[in-house]
Amino acid sequence: MRTKSSAPTMKDVAQEAGVALGTVSKVFNGIPVGESYRVRVQEAADRLGYQVNNYARGLKTNKTFTAAVIIPSTTHPFFSLLTEELSRALSLRGYRTLLAITSFDLASEQQCIEMVRQNKVDGIIALTYNPDLRIDDSLPFVSIDRFYSASIPCVSSDNYGGGQLAAEKLHSLGCKNLLFLRSGSSVPGEPDKRGAGFEAYCQLHRLSSQSLRIDDTEGIRPILDFIDSQIRDGHFPFDGIFCSTDHLAVDVLNHLTLRGIPCPEEVQLIGFDGLKDFFTHKPVCSTIVQPVSEMARTAVDILLSQDRFRLSALTCLPVRYQAGGTTREDVSGS
Amino acid sequence: MRTKSSAPTMKDVAQEAGVALGTVSKVFNGIPVGESYRVRVQEAADRLGYQVNNYARGLKTNKTFTAAVIIPSTTHPFFSLLTEELSRALSLRGYRTLLAITSFDLASEQQCIEMVRQNKVDGIIALTYNPDLRIDDSLPFVSIDRFYSASIPCVSSDNYGGGQLAAEKLHSLGCKNLLFLRSGSSVPGEPDKRGAGFEAYCQLHRLSSQSLRIDDTEGIRPILDFIDSQIRDGHFPFDGIFCSTDHLAVDVLNHLTLRGIPCPEEVQLIGFDGLKDFFTHKPVCSTIVQPVSEMARTAVDILLSQDRFRLSALTCLPVRYQAGGTTREDVSGS
């Protein structure tokens, strides 16, 4: 560590800014103060060339002001948005983001956790697919979408409610024969509740419905084969489909189009996630939108909470329906 | 910092693995050893529950084995891919990624640099838009796409060559009247050379060409207005367009389609970047592909090089042309 005897101290900054030492300390520790105070302290620090030494600060406070984000990928639109929102939420709390990308590799997920522990981060927010992940209690850990135990808080969207909402929408849009399609990880997770919520609604309202679930290791071929097997004389028996993700919904939409089954005229389709086309910024299909920004903020709030033991084990944030061209909406409604 | 007197040491790992202490040290410092040695050391460390304490290691070696990646966004497909590739390349060298997302905000870029300096990272890789960025020489810094000075190495794709290649392709595909369209930052950067290369080729081969450049702060409206102003009786005078990005190319394609100008039948179009549709994995347009993975590896190699002063100030990596439906290729060719 370089040290200069002439380096300005926090005291110098307080004097330069004409504020109390405690105010300077608050500003550099990310504790809210009046905006005018914050600006005065920052300007004084800039004039003096004062720099917080977080490394030294870490030695004193035993904090690194860094949190790790463990995520399967940044190139999937949902994960890339989640990464950006988590980074923003951490930044707003004065925290830096240590990013670990696991590429959906289970061994790599465990390695990432060991790695970030070694790096003395203050906590971890992770979206993982490893059911056997070893997480000890020595570090604050918040899971996204995966429920490990009551002692590991999990944040997700209201997947069950979203499944119900999808069924309710298709029902209200006149669908009589519903289909749930799911392609996803074999590892149980909160997203599995999408189908459960959908089926519960159908059962309660005595709607005819069928479900097909496959592991994504198989690719989506079994789903496309199932669709083909159902088509008789150019007619598809289901008039409403709920897909477990927007990605799957788009694949199903393209396949139905290829087979000459018009959507939304003959079959209405709802996905889950709320992905937007990068170029047009339009939804890629009618969908149940996950509140990604709120999920990120909530995960960070829980991670940095001083009172972790009074927190909810599972926090499910509200989803909403969004029309996106694959359902038959009134022009007036949505 | 927690310490346990019973915690296994590197010596214990060496004994357990039956290898020299130096081998263990190499493994945990990311220095290549034979794969069988690496596995033995890792397994012995796992059995003993040995954990490298990078924080303590940092105090000894003055290294954090962490590099910062400063990037405008992770939701733009090019940046999200670059982030993933940089993280992968750093990980392969035993380095962690501290991610700083600037949201294209110039003040935020400078703050990120101060922030990561405070965090004692070993180096910074940044893609920035701030022309006045203050970068001192105390930390290794590699820039992507922005040339700061001869002492700050910059890695980019061969933008000039890519522009030439686009003109050559359109020329060889029979285009007679070319147009270059650019929407981008007002801050000079390597991507500006795309247009320069394109124009140089046209001039050399006496091809009729015109260029329109706008700042992205204006949105793309001026470009669409220009296109509209050129259309006479349903005819568009240009038969070959090179756009500075795939994003712009897709916007132009959609606008031409809206105006009834068929592409590639009447106008052929080439973009730049090599973006793929997230759902279909197909190119979004014919394009000049940036070698993102190689750019990331090169940036990391330069950052971690022991002999930084013998490095090239600017490294331009080769691009390639990729057909993507907006040009008229032979079925046989590409």
Side-chain angles (χ1 to χ4, degrees):
Chain A
M1 224 181 315
R2 285 162 306 161
T3 49
K4 294 184 204 164
S5 59
S6 63
T9 65
M10 241 191 232
K11 228 178 212 167
D12 298 329
V13 176
Q15 195 162 28
E16 174 77 15
V19 302
L21 181 59
T23 307
V24 178
S25 169
K26 278 181 185 165
V27 169
F28 290 119
N29 284 292
I31 299 162
V33 298
E35 180 59 16
S36 66
Y37 282 103
R38 203 193 58 73
V39 170
R40 266 161 74 183
V41 168
Q42 196 60 63
E43 285 177 355
D46 287 349
R47 276 196 300 277
L48 296 178
Y50 173 80
Q51 294 211 331
V52 186
N53 185 333
N54 275 331
Y55 200 60
R57 189 161 64 129
L59 288 173
K60 266 193 209 161
T61 64
N62 206 25
K63 277 196 176 186
T64 60
F65 297 94
T66 306
V69 168
I70 300 179
I71 203 127
S73 155
T74 60
T75 52
H76 182 295
F78 178 74
F79 296 135
S80 73
L81 182 58
L82 183 61
T83 304
E84 194 155 304
E85 294 290 354
L86 283 170
S87 163
R88 180 172 299 145
L90 284 166
S91 178
L92 284 172
R93 297 287 300 266
Y95 273 70
R96 286 158 289 265
T97 302
L98 192 79
L99 179 70
I101 299 172
T102 61
S103 308
F104 296 93
D105 179 66
L106 305 194
S108 163
E109 291 177 345
Q110 187 68 51
Q111 280 165 16
C112 281
I113 288 185
E114 304 306 327
M115 188 185 85
V116 296
R117 278 171 41 82
Q118 291 162 17
N119 214 46
K120 266 194 86 68
V121 295
D122 296 342
I124 300 173
I125 298 173
L127 197 162
T128 67
Y129 288 92
N130 185 343
D132 305 318
L133 212 59
R134 293 185 307 276
I135 305 165
D136 66 41
D137 291 343
S138 67
L139 264 188
F141 189 104
V142 176
S143 167
I144 308 262
D145 274 358
R146 183 88 52 236
F147 189 77
Y148 288 105
S149 74
S151 67
I152 306 284
C154 172
V155 174
S156 83
S157 60
D158 181 6
N159 289 285
Y160 192 89
Q164 289 179 302
L165 181 57
E168 187 192 330
K169 263 289 154 186
L170 290 171
H171 187 198
S172 74
L173 289 165
C175 298
K176 304 261 181 276
N177 199 8
L178 301 186
L179 176 63
F180 170 64
L181 296 174
R182 183 263 192 191
S183 164
S185 168
S186 61
V187 180
E190 288 303 311
D192 296 336
K193 297 183 182 169
R194 294 169 195 173
F198 184 83
E199 286 159 351
Y201 182 95
C202 291
Q203 205 167 5
L204 186 68
H205 293 82
R206 294 163 196 259
L207 284 167
S208 159
S209 84
Q210 199 171 323
S211 296
L212 177 66
R213 292 173 163 85
I214 59 159
D215 279 2
D216 51 13
T217 48
E218 302 174 57
I220 58 156
R221 196 68 248 169
I223 284 180
L224 305 185
D225 287 345
F226 171 80
I227 290 173
D228 287 345
S229 75
Q230 297 293 307
I231 299 174
R232 296 277 153 78
D233 304 322
H235 176 72
F236 190 62
F238 301 97
D239 56 1
I241 307 178
F242 172 46
C243 290
S244 61
T245 66
D246 286 349
H247 196 167
L248 179 60
V250 170
D251 286 339
V252 167
L253 173 66
N254 290 339
H255 192 70
L256 288 170
T257 307
L258 200 69
R259 291 287 180 263
I261 315 285
C263 179
E265 291 79 5
E266 274 192 29
V267 186
Q268 301 187 71
L269 192 63
I270 295 180
F272 201 106
D273 275 348
L275 303 188
K276 288 188 176 167
D277 182 90
F278 173 69
F279 297 102
T280 63
H281 302 292
K282 287 182 187 155
V284 294
C285 57
S286 296
T287 188
I288 306 299
V289 182
Q290 297 206 58
V292 182
S293 178
E294 289 76 7
M295 288 166 70
R297 274 208 309 273
T298 304
V300 169
D301 283 350
I302 292 176
L303 191 77
L304 303 182
S305 165
Q306 299 299 314
D307 193 7
R308 290 172 50 78
F309 295 101
R310 294 182 57 188
L311 291 168
S312 162
L314 174 62
T315 308
C316 296
L317 296 168
V319 295
R320 65 185 171 84
Y321 170 74
Q322 178 180 266
T326 57
T327 42
R328 293 200 300 264
E329 259 73 31
D330 288 331
V331 178
S332 59
S334 77
Chain B
M1 222 180 321
R2 283 161 308 162
T3 51
K4 295 184 205 164
S5 59
S6 64
T9 65
M10 242 191 231
K11 229 177 211 168
D12 299 330
V13 176
Q15 197 163 26
E16 174 78 15
V19 302
L21 182 58
T23 307
V24 179
S25 169
K26 276 182 186 163
V27 169
F28 291 118
N29 284 291
I31 298 162
V33 299
E35 179 60 15
S36 67
Y37 283 102
R38 203 193 56 73
V39 171
R40 266 162 73 184
V41 168
Q42 195 61 61
E43 286 177 354
D46 286 350
R47 276 197 299 278
L48 297 177
Y50 174 78
Q51 293 211 332
V52 186
N53 185 333
N54 274 331
Y55 201 61
R57 188 161 66 129
L59 287 172
K60 268 192 206 161
T61 65
N62 207 25
K63 277 194 175 185
T64 60
F65 296 94
T66 306
V69 168
I70 300 178
I71 203 126
S73 155
T74 59
T75 52
H76 183 295
F78 178 74
F79 295 135
S80 72
L81 182 58
L82 183 61
T83 303
E84 195 154 305
E85 294 290 354
L86 284 169
S87 163
R88 181 172 297 144
L90 284 166
S91 178
L92 283 172
R93 297 287 299 267
Y95 272 71
R96 286 159 289 265
T97 303
L98 191 78
L99 179 70
I101 299 172
T102 62
S103 307
F104 296 91
D105 178 67
L106 306 192
S108 162
E109 291 177 347
Q110 187 67 52
Q111 279 165 15
C112 282
I113 288 184
E114 304 305 328
M115 190 183 83
V116 297
R117 278 171 42 82
Q118 292 163 15
N119 215 47
K120 265 195 88 68
V121 295
D122 296 344
I124 300 172
I125 298 174
L127 198 163
T128 66
Y129 288 93
N130 184 345
D132 305 318
L133 212 57
R134 293 184 307 275
I135 306 165
D136 66 42
D137 290 344
S138 65
L139 264 188
F141 189 106
V142 175
S143 167
I144 310 261
D145 275 358
R146 181 90 52 236
F147 189 77
Y148 287 105
S149 75
S151 67
I152 307 283
C154 172
V155 173
S156 83
S157 61
D158 182 6
N159 290 286
Y160 192 90
Q164 288 180 303
L165 181 56
E168 188 191 331
K169 263 290 154 186
L170 291 172
H171 188 197
S172 74
L173 290 165
C175 299
K176 303 264 182 273
N177 198 8
L178 301 186
L179 176 63
F180 169 65
L181 296 174
R182 182 262 192 192
S183 164
S185 168
S186 60
V187 181
E190 289 302 312
D192 296 337
K193 296 181 182 171
R194 294 169 193 174
F198 184 83
E199 286 159 351
Y201 182 95
C202 291
Q203 202 167 7
L204 186 67
H205 293 82
R206 294 163 197 257
L207 284 167
S208 159
S209 84
Q210 199 170 324
S211 295
L212 177 65
R213 291 173 165 87
I214 59 157
D215 280 2
D216 50 14
T217 48
E218 302 174 57
I220 58 155
R221 196 67 249 170
I223 284 180
L224 304 186
D225 287 345
F226 171 81
I227 290 173
D228 287 343
S229 75
Q230 297 292 308
I231 299 174
R232 295 278 152 77
D233 304 323
H235 177 72
F236 190 63
F238 301 98
D239 57 1
I241 307 179
F242 172 46
C243 291
S244 61
T245 65
D246 286 350
H247 196 168
L248 179 60
V250 170
D251 285 338
V252 167
L253 172 66
N254 290 339
H255 192 71
L256 288 169
T257 306
L258 200 71
R259 292 286 181 263
I261 315 284
C263 178
E265 292 79 5
E266 274 192 31
V267 186
Q268 301 188 69
L269 191 63
I270 295 180
F272 201 106
D273 274 345
L275 303 189
K276 287 188 175 165
D277 181 90
F278 172 69
F279 298 101
T280 64
H281 302 293
K282 287 182 187 154
V284 294
C285 57
S286 296
T287 187
I288 307 299
V289 183
Q290 298 206 56
V292 182
S293 178
E294 289 77 6
M295 288 166 70
R297 275 208 308 272
T298 304
V300 169
D301 284 350
I302 293 176
L303 191 76
L304 303 182
S305 164
Q306 300 298 313
D307 195 7
R308 290 171 49 78
F309 295 100
R310 295 181 57 189
L311 291 169
S312 162
L314 175 63
T315 308
C316 295
L317 296 168
V319 294
R320 64 184 172 83
Y321 170 74
Q322 177 179 268
T326 56
T327 43
R328 293 198 301 264
E329 259 74 31
D330 289 331
V331 179
S332 60
S334 76

